[in-house]
Amino acid sequence: MKTRELLKLDEKAMAEAIQSMKTKECEKHARNYSKLLGVNYDRALMTAVHAAFISDQDEHVSMRVHTAVSKIAKEESDCEEAEAIVLSALCLMFVYKKTNGFKLMDTLASVLKERV
């Protein structure tokens, strides 16, 4: 599926498509969509990683990622909220798939705990 085809899907179909994507496909769409919006992909991705793992906000991880990526997207382009939501969803899913479902931090914490 091409990125432009993905963007034509309704909300539910798009969510299902993003969830079912393989890691590389998700990255490809996130890169392409960032480029379409005029947003620096690497900056958006690093923002998503920070929001997912390092942020001390009490919100759910998906909301933290959305808020952070949305802010970056609006700073770098004149995108609308709906466009920022799609970019944040792609970044979130890419980070999720790349880190085996956010279990990486739990694994690291347990390894470091054993070290003490």
Side-chain angles (χ1 to χ4, degrees):
M1 172 184 304
K2 300 220 180 255
T3 302
R4 293 202 186 268
E5 293 169 349
L6 175 70
L7 298 174
K8 291 178 183 177
L9 298 175
D10 64 48
E11 183 179 304
K12 184 176 179 178
M14 184 186 295
E16 290 172 358
I18 292 172
Q19 187 174 12
S20 68
M21 287 178 188
K22 293 184 178 181
T23 307
K24 285 193 176 253
E25 183 182 14
C26 191
E27 179 184 22
K28 176 191 85 168
H29 288 300
R31 281 186 185 279
N32 289 344
Y33 195 54
S34 293
K35 189 174 182 178
L36 285 172
L37 293 177
V39 175
N40 181 305
Y41 169 74
D42 293 324
R43 185 170 181 222
L45 182 61
M46 292 313 299
T47 299
V49 169
H50 181 272
F53 295 117
I54 302 170
S55 177
D56 59 355
Q57 295 176 346
D58 291 335
E59 298 174 328
H60 186 271
V61 65
S62 60
M63 199 61 202
R64 292 192 315 254
V65 169
H66 168 67
T67 301
V69 171
S70 185
K71 181 180 176 189
I72 293 293
K74 289 176 182 176
E75 286 174 4
E76 293 188 6
S77 73
D78 59 349
C79 72
E80 297 178 14
E81 182 66 18
E83 295 168 322
I85 288 171
V86 173
L87 180 59
S88 67
L90 287 165
C91 288
L92 175 68
M93 190 54 62
F94 177 66
V95 171
Y96 179 83
K97 289 176 181 277
K98 199 71 169 169
T99 60
N100 296 321
F102 300 119
K103 295 178 184 172
L104 178 64
M105 290 307 283
D106 294 336
T107 303
L108 288 175
S110 66
V111 168
L112 292 174
K113 184 178 178 183
E114 292 175 15
R115 187 173 162 247
V116 176

